[in-house]
Amino acid sequence: PDLEIYDGGRKKYSARLVKTFGIPESELAEMLTGIEREGVRLGYRSHFPEIHLRVSAAGNALTAAEALMEEFLIELSVRLGDNIFTTSGETMEAVVGGLLSHNKQTLAVAESCTGGLLASRITDVPGSSEYFLEGVVTYSNEAKNKILGVPQDVLIANGAVSAPVVEAMASGVRKLSGADIGIGISGIAGPGGGTEDKPVGTVYIGVDINGSGVFSNRYLFHGDRSQIKLVSTEAALNLIRKNLIKDV
């Protein structure tokens, strides 16, 4: 308090780290054209596979800076919608963990191309044992059949990297673990193994939500092997997040 007397009336600042996923930086910038205003500064930073926004607001008092920040974040959320996954700097896995805890739901994952990276990210969050039940890496077709019960005829007819297989993986691991939500991931991380129909970077993610059914999404990611694995886990977490926020 004594130092406040000598601060010369300098501005007080509030800062936030906003994280987005799913839209490129150029498109993000277009969506935010004209959003900046007096007292607010906005900076962009690519942090693969996310785009981060550093927002700072200034006011004569901290309360004024924070009020300006909250007003700006509301406008930011209106423009970007659920492409924003946090306005307070949390990791994607922490956000998903918080939603699972809030909803009192549990999760299990079955991974192929990501080799356990999704389970690793989920369990990086302290307290994840509250909602994370099980993770299996079924890399071979034999493992997908033996552990998860993916039918051989489905594997033969569609190939391991396909919608029917990841949906069966998601259902298999959900039933195996007793979780509320099961996730299945299979893809081609490269650098080899791609085909004309399924080039390197092709990834399928399946989701089985108890009581809501099974669905899957197809993605085509770019990058080296480690980047494709990382962005695949990010997409899987984001898929869970978007379904969980419907129930919050």
Side-chain angles (χ1 to χ4, degrees):
D2 292 339
L3 292 174
E4 290 289 332
I5 300 170
Y6 303 102
D7 72 354
R10 282 176 291 189
K11 295 283 189 181
K12 304 299 186 295
Y13 291 89
S14 176
R16 293 286 191 90
L17 181 60
V18 178
K19 296 183 178 181
T20 73
F21 175 72
I23 48 178
E25 187 173 347
S26 57
E27 188 176 332
L28 194 67
E30 280 185 29
M31 294 171 75
L32 297 180
T33 299
I35 196 173
E36 293 189 67
R37 61 195 67 179
E38 187 177 353
V40 178
R41 294 180 63 184
L42 179 63
Y44 297 82
R45 183 167 72 95
S46 178
H47 188 278
F48 184 87
E50 303 163 358
I51 303 296
H52 295 176
L53 304 173
R54 174 66 70 179
V55 185
S56 61
N60 292 327
L62 186 57
T63 52
E66 289 175 344
L68 185 59
M69 172 66 75
E70 292 304 319
E71 180 185 305
F72 186 79
L73 290 177
I74 290 170
E75 176 65 20
L76 204 62
S77 296
V78 168
R79 295 205 188 192
L80 300 183
D82 63 8
N83 291 299
I84 294 174
F85 66 87
T86 181
T87 59
S88 54
E90 296 173 285
T91 63
M92 177 72 84
E93 49 266 36
V95 170
V96 170
L99 288 167
L100 286 165
S101 294
H102 181 274
N103 291 7
K104 293 181 169 55
Q105 290 178 289
T106 52
L107 174 68
V109 301
E111 303 179 63
S112 186
C113 66
T114 49
L117 181 59
L118 178 58
S120 178
R121 289 186 64 179
I122 292 167
T123 55
D124 278 344
V125 180
S128 53
S129 58
E130 179 185 342
Y131 49 82
F132 184 63
L133 301 187
E134 191 169 319
V136 296
V137 178
T138 50
Y139 212 61
S140 67
N141 283 358
E142 291 75 16
K144 291 177 178 67
N145 172 253
K146 181 175 67 174
I147 298 172
L148 300 174
V150 180
Q152 284 285 10
D153 58 341
V154 172
L155 285 160
I156 293 168
N158 300 279
V161 182
S162 63
V165 167
V166 294
E167 289 175 12
M169 289 171 67
S171 297
V173 79
R174 189 187 68 75
K175 292 169 185 173
L176 186 68
S177 64
D180 296 305
I181 303 170
I183 300 291
I185 304 178
S186 186
I188 304 166
T195 66
E196 187 174 338
D197 292 335
K198 297 175 184 178
V200 170
T202 301
V203 176
Y204 285 85
I205 300 174
V207 180
D208 183 344
I209 302 175
N210 190 23
S212 298
V214 187
F215 67 93
S216 60
N217 284 357
R218 181 184 187 273
Y219 302 87
L220 182 58
F221 298 126
H222 301 283
D224 60 26
R225 186 176 181 84
S226 62
Q227 289 174 320
I228 290 170
K229 290 174 69 174
L230 178 59
V231 71
S232 297
T233 61
E234 185 88 358
L237 288 166
N238 197 49
L239 203 53
I240 303 168
R241 179 185 69 89
K242 287 190 172 185
N243 278 274
L244 289 171
I245 58 179
K246 296 175 185 176
D247 301 323
V248 173

